[in-house]
């Protein structure tokens, strides 16, 4: 079986994780978590989100988080601290904080696009274009997410052709990479393989990442398939935190967190794939935030090696 020699882990816990928490997390705790993650060797950390605070109050403190991180940049000069931006206002806030990399987020389902960012898919693409132009003109790197790549909480299954179309639109506007979001974690190795096979017909593996929520316990198996298909950028979340507040399940519950970074690192260790992360320090960071949130650690490896 072929595997990439090394993998880049995109740690989304401080953003995707904390955006969905009911317990309010203060700025100092967020900064402490981010610092512990950087200290553990994570070189790419999504540290916040410049969305409307009316929509996601949990991310309202992102400006202060980045202000504090910028004073520590020299300590972790190889770490990228990225943020979500849904519109020009978000990009402007990011630039005011000195953020060097932002991510826009589209969806492959109309209903989810409406619920999450209050516009159609086509409108979101039009909204991102001036953001992309301004970001690139200011040397800010742009990542693109697509949510609901295999299933939508409101519409059910999603067409791979729609995902392919949106991925090409995001690449055309200047995104260097597309992160494929299984927002509600319904994908299985079969549906992820089908999706990636279609996308790889037109998009090189180097431009694709996977972002797999673990609601149905499929995330690690799905990552294995993605690795076998040449994908070498994997999003994950410390302690398996998070989810999208606008991804409600049919039973009224919410989609659970991303694949836990600890579980990913353990599997990569077993496969002999390089990643640069110190598992012990990562587990300590997962325990730190789980205690602050007063919840059980969502990583099996985090619990097993406690
Ligand atoms: P809207 O209500 O249609 O837009 O929201 P609006 O322009 O009318 O703005 C509403 C208010 O928000 C206004 O304030 C704006 O100024 C303000 P008011 O005049 O009422 O006082 N506003 C902002 N404030 C600060 N920063 C901004 C900003 N923009 C507007 N950037 C909007 C449209 C896109 C803003 C809204 O729907 C929004 O913020 N949505 C974000 C939802 C979100 O963050 N979801 C979670 C992230 S996506 C995710 O988790 C999936 C992912 O992980 C991948 C996966 O798992 O699939 C990425
Ligand atoms: Mg997500």
């Amino acid at each position: 079986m072929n595997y990439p020699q090394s993998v880049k882990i995109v740690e989304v816990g401080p953003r995707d994780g904390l955006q969905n928490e009911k317990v309010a997390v203060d700025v100092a705790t967020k900064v402490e978590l981010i610092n512990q993650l950087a200290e553990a060797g994570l070189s790419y950390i999504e540290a916040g989100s410049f969305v409307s605070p009316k929509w996601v109050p949990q991310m309202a403190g992102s400006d202060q988080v980045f202000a504090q991180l910028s004073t520590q940049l020299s300590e972790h000069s190889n770490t990228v601290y990225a943020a979500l931006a849904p519109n020009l206002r978000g990009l402007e806030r990011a630039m005011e904080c000195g953020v060097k990399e932002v991510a826009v987020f589209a969806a492959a389902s109309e209903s989810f696009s409406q619920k999450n960012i209050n516009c159609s898919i086509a409108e979101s693409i039009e909204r991102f274009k001036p953001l992309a132009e301004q970001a690139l003109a200011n040397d800010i790197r742009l990542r693109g997410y697509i949510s609901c790549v295999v299933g939508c909480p409101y519409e059910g299954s999603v067409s791979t052709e729609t995902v392919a179309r949106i991925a090409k639109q995001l690449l055309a506007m200047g995104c260097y990479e597309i992160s494929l979001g299984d927002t509600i974690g319904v994908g299985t190795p079969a549906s992820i393989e089908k999706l990636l096979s279609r996308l790889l017909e037109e998009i090189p593996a180097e431009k694709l990442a996977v972002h797999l929520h673990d609601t149905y316990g499929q995330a690690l198996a799905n990552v294995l398939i993605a690795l076998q298909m040449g994908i070498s950028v994997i999003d994950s979340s410390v302690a398996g935190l998070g989810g999208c507040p606008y991804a409600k399940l049919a039973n009224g519950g919410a989609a659970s967190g991303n694949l836990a970074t600890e579980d990913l690192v353990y599997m990569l260790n077993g496969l002999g794939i390089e990643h640069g992360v110190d598992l012990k320090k990562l587990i300590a960071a997962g325990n730190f935030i789980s205690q602050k949130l007063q919840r059980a650690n969502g990583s099996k490896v985090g619990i097993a090696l406690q």
Side-chain angles (χ1 to χ4, degrees), residues 37-301:
L37 293 167
E39 200 55 47
L42 285 151
S43 59
Y44 190 112
I45 302 173
E46 218 172 55
S49 185
F50 296 104
V51 297
S52 165
K54 287 184 183 150
W55 283 65
V56 185
Q58 293 91 332
M59 289 288 113
S62 289
D63 308 72
Q64 292 147 278
V65 169
F66 276 98
Q68 291 199 25
L69 290 175
S70 66
T71 62
Q72 301 160 10
L73 274 184
S74 53
E75 285 173 45
H76 298 292
S77 53
N78 294 326
T79 311
V80 174
Y81 299 108
L84 295 191
N87 52 20
L88 267 176
R89 172 86 193 93
L91 177 68
E92 281 157 13
R93 285 174 62 201
M95 286 169 58
E96 280 161 23
C97 297
V99 177
K100 290 278 171 247
E101 173 140 356
V102 298
V104 291
F105 47 107
S109 116
E110 287 293 351
S111 311
F112 187 80
S113 184
Q114 290 290 351
K115 295 262 189 205
N116 196 38
I117 49 175
N118 206 23
C119 64
S120 69
I121 299 170
E123 283 165 342
S124 74
I125 297 294
E126 288 311 308
R127 190 182 282 174
F128 298 151
K129 279 181 187 164
L131 186 167
E133 265 172 40
Q134 198 164 320
L136 299 178
N138 286 281
D139 288 331
I140 293 172
R141 274 163 58 89
L142 194 64
R143 193 171 194 244
Y145 278 104
I146 306 176
S147 288
C148 300
V149 292
V150 283
C152 165
Y154 313 103
E155 293 179 15
S157 64
V158 164
S159 137
T160 52
E161 291 310 315
T162 307
V163 181
R165 187 192 77 229
I166 299 166
K168 285 185 282 181
Q169 287 173 322
L170 290 173
L171 289 169
M173 74 174 72
C175 292
Y176 69 88
E177 177 178 287
I178 305 301
S179 178
L180 301 163
D182 182 6
T183 317
I184 51 170
V186 288
T188 63
S191 52
I192 295 296
E193 182 178 8
K194 181 172 167 236
L195 172 69
L196 288 175
S197 298
R198 170 64 189 89
L199 294 178
L200 290 168
E201 285 170 15
E202 293 186 80
I203 301 170
E206 300 76 54
K207 290 191 180 295
L208 296 174
V210 288
H211 175 109
L212 303 165
H213 285 260
D214 202 25
T215 320
Y216 294 81
Q218 303 294 299
L220 209 48
N222 292 343
V223 165
L224 192 65
I225 287 291
L227 291 171
Q228 289 169 2
M229 296 181 79
I231 308 300
S232 61
V233 181
I234 315 286
D235 297 6
S236 63
S237 174
V238 66
L241 294 175
C244 174
Y246 296 100
K248 294 279 175 265
L249 302 179
N251 65 9
S256 57
N258 283 75
L259 165 64
T261 310
E262 297 90 323
D263 299 3
L264 172 63
V265 164
Y266 183 88
M267 184 177 83
L268 295 175
N269 284 347
L271 290 166
I273 298 174
E274 289 163 27
H275 50 71
V277 179
D278 179 325
L279 182 56
K280 226 172 142 190
K281 288 184 179 172
L282 175 64
I283 289 172
N287 286 333
F288 163 76
I289 192 62
S290 301
Q291 276 161 17
K292 285 281 180 189
L293 295 169
Q294 297 171 336
R295 58 133 87 192
N297 191 326
S299 160
K300 284 195 179 289
V301 170

Side-chain angles (χ1 to χ4, degrees), residues 25-37:
V25 180
D26 58 32
V27 168
T29 303
K30 289 180 182 175
V31 171
E32 173 62 24
L33 171 65
I34 294 162
N35 282 338
Q36 288 192 23
L37 293 167

